[in-house]
Amino acid sequence: MWDENSVLYSDLSYMTEADFIDWKQLRGKTFYITGGTGLIGYYLIQTLLYRNAKFQDHIRILALVRNPEKARAMYERQIPGAGDFLQFVQGDVTETQRMEDSVDFLIHGASPTASRYFVEHPLETLETAIQGTSNMLHLAEEKQVKKMVYLSSMEVYGDHQSEDKISEEEAVCLYPMNLRDSYPIGKCTSENLCQAYSHERGISVDVLRLSQVIGTTCPVRKSHDTRIVMEIARDILSGSDIVLKTKGESKRTYVYVADAVTAILKVLTCEGSDVYNVANEGTYCSIYDMCQLAAEKVAGGKIKVVVQEKDEGIYPAANCLNLSNEKLRACGWKSNTGLEKMFQRLIHY
């Protein structure tokens, strides 16, 4: 079902044996997951399937996907052994969800991720975030889930200029007339919806504000993924220089996809509703410095970083997103992978 020499297999072994996750509380439960063909959803579903195969945890997975054929192709090696524990539900988060199955945990991760899309399709970006989250919260209430987790973003902190650590209590600074801010505004509004449902309807909802997530679901030579980390990976593999369309002055923290998944699994067993930053604090650096690290350490100095500024209006203004993970660490979670190792694993994958 899994290649034992692969990066994915190594990550699965780590995630399913992390000593800070109480798997006994998850055993035999039903998960409803949106964004199952996205990076985090893919890793989460693979992790639950691996637990079933190795530990007979009998976790059932209902994955909401728009394209079942794509989903089956992504999980084709695992489907034969998954039995009745993996079911793809065709639909869109913006549609009303109707189902008879019981649900214990709901993970809402479906979201557009490309900056160009936010600018060219701001209405769809906002609708997916706000209507999609509203539908998921309604489903969570209807099914009386034990816990819902909403995957938000570090971008909700907006135009933050201080390099001080950012806690979850930090105020946000967003610009409603900036189309690029349709994404963080949608995330911010969705967070408020989660808080409102928790307050008025008693639904236990945790919000995870994810740093830039590094990882992949497919060979990095494919060109459809335009995230900067994937562009860098393709440049390293092809021996091409890394070309930046900005000066790369924005600073941020990063997190490896396996660590993001363990954060989700950890908060599922925490009491109440809360909001958590998910970050490896040791990765904080500018985009330019991140590219330099990849060129020098991962590519062995065989390529260089070239700045060719091009104002397309699709990139957020330079900011500083130095996320603190103190609250999540206090719950027992820990990040396992540094920035250089993230890129090495991405390249090996």
Side-chain angles (χ1 to χ4, degrees):
M1 295 173 68
W2 293 276
D3 178 1
E4 295 187 8
N5 297 314
S6 68
V7 168
L8 175 60
Y9 185 85
S10 173
D11 288 340
L12 291 172
S13 298
Y14 164 71
M15 291 183 288
T16 54
E17 296 178 23
D19 57 8
F20 53 83
I21 297 173
D22 186 0
W23 283 99
K24 292 190 294 292
Q25 293 191 48
L26 308 180
R27 188 173 298 147
K29 300 299 190 293
T30 297
F31 281 67
Y32 189 88
I33 300 172
T34 74
T37 58
L39 172 59
I40 297 174
Y42 176 78
Y43 252 67
L44 175 59
I45 291 172
Q46 290 281 7
T47 302
L48 299 177
L49 292 175
Y50 185 85
R51 278 292 305 192
N52 282 348
K54 189 170 183 179
F55 300 98
Q56 290 75 54
D57 274 359
H58 299 98
I59 295 170
R60 187 167 180 237
I61 305 156
L62 304 173
L64 180 68
V65 297
R66 288 179 296 178
N67 187 338
E69 290 184 4
K70 175 184 177 181
R72 282 189 285 270
M74 291 181 69
Y75 297 95
E76 62 180 349
R77 295 189 63 179
Q78 288 73 46
I79 287 174
D84 296 328
F85 292 109
L86 175 61
Q87 178 182 339
F88 297 118
V89 180
Q90 184 172 12
D92 191 283
V93 293
T94 59
E95 302 166 350
T96 301
Q97 305 300 304
R98 302 187 185 282
M99 54 182 295
E100 297 182 359
D101 303 79
S102 62
V103 177
D104 297 296
F105 298 111
L106 195 158
I107 316 299
H108 179 33
S111 174
T113 57
S115 286
R116 185 177 296 277
Y117 184 91
F118 306 153
V119 174
E120 295 178 351
H121 303 281
L123 285 175
E124 292 84 352
T125 300
L126 287 164
E127 181 182 27
T128 299
I130 300 169
Q131 186 60 54
T133 303
S134 178
N135 286 338
M136 291 306 112
L137 286 163
H138 181 75
L139 181 64
E141 179 186 18
E142 178 186 331
K143 298 299 178 181
Q144 287 297 294
V145 300
K146 300 179 185 299
K147 174 78 66 112
M148 172 175 163
V149 174
Y150 174 62
L151 301 186
S152 189
S153 166
M154 65 180 178
E155 287 205 31
V156 298
Y157 294 113
D159 187 25
H160 192 276
Q161 297 298 318
S162 169
E163 294 203 51
D164 293 341
K165 290 282 182 67
I166 301 175
S167 72
E168 290 81 356
E169 287 73 38
E170 188 81 17
V172 303
C173 182
L174 299 169
Y175 298 99
M177 302 309 291
N178 177 10
L179 290 180
R180 173 58 178 74
D181 273 3
S182 59
Y183 175 71
I185 288 171
K187 288 289 188 183
C188 227
T189 305
S190 296
E191 287 191 14
N192 199 244
L193 275 171
C194 291
Q195 181 74 350
Y197 260 81
S198 177
H199 176 72
E200 289 195 29
R201 308 291 174 81
I203 303 302
S204 181
V205 189
D206 281 332
V207 172
L208 296 187
R209 292 173 178 165
L210 296 159
S211 298
Q212 176 76 54
V213 180
I214 293 183
T216 185
T217 63
C218 62
V220 295
R221 290 188 185 276
K222 294 186 177 180
S223 61
H224 68 276
D225 192 330
T226 59
R227 289 176 300 143
I228 186 170
V229 293
M230 300 301 284
E231 297 283 4
I232 292 170
R234 285 192 287 270
D235 289 337
I236 292 172
L237 285 169
S238 65
S240 305
D241 290 339
I242 299 170
V243 179
L244 286 175
K245 301 299 177 60
T246 72
K247 293 179 180 178
E249 295 174 324
S250 286
K251 294 185 175 182
R252 52 193 32 37
T253 48
Y254 297 83
V255 66
Y256 186 54
V257 59
D259 290 330
V261 169
T262 60
I264 294 170
L265 296 170
K266 177 60 185 177
V267 301
L268 283 177
T269 59
C270 296
E271 294 293 330
S273 300
D274 215 331
V275 55
Y276 301 91
N277 291 333
V278 185
N280 182 323
E281 291 184 355
T283 64
Y284 180 67
C285 64
S286 70
I287 292 174
Y288 182 86
D289 287 340
M290 182 260 292
C291 292
Q292 283 285 74
L293 178 145
E296 295 173 5
K297 300 291 187 180
V298 184
K302 296 178 181 178
I303 62 176
K304 60 182 182 296
V305 181
V306 179
V307 175
Q308 294 180 356
E309 288 187 79
K310 186 176 182 181
D311 184 12
E312 297 182 283
I314 64 173
Y315 307 110
N319 57 4
C320 299
L321 300 177
N322 188 8
L323 271 60
S324 165
N325 64 19
E326 183 178 356
K327 183 190 283 191
L328 194 52
R329 279 190 289 112
C331 296
W333 175 84
K334 56 187 175 185
S335 54
N336 185 54
T337 310
L339 191 55
E340 182 178 345
K341 187 177 178 182
M342 292 182 204
F343 273 103
Q344 289 173 342
R345 295 183 77 75
L346 178 60
I347 295 299
H348 289 158
Y349 201 157

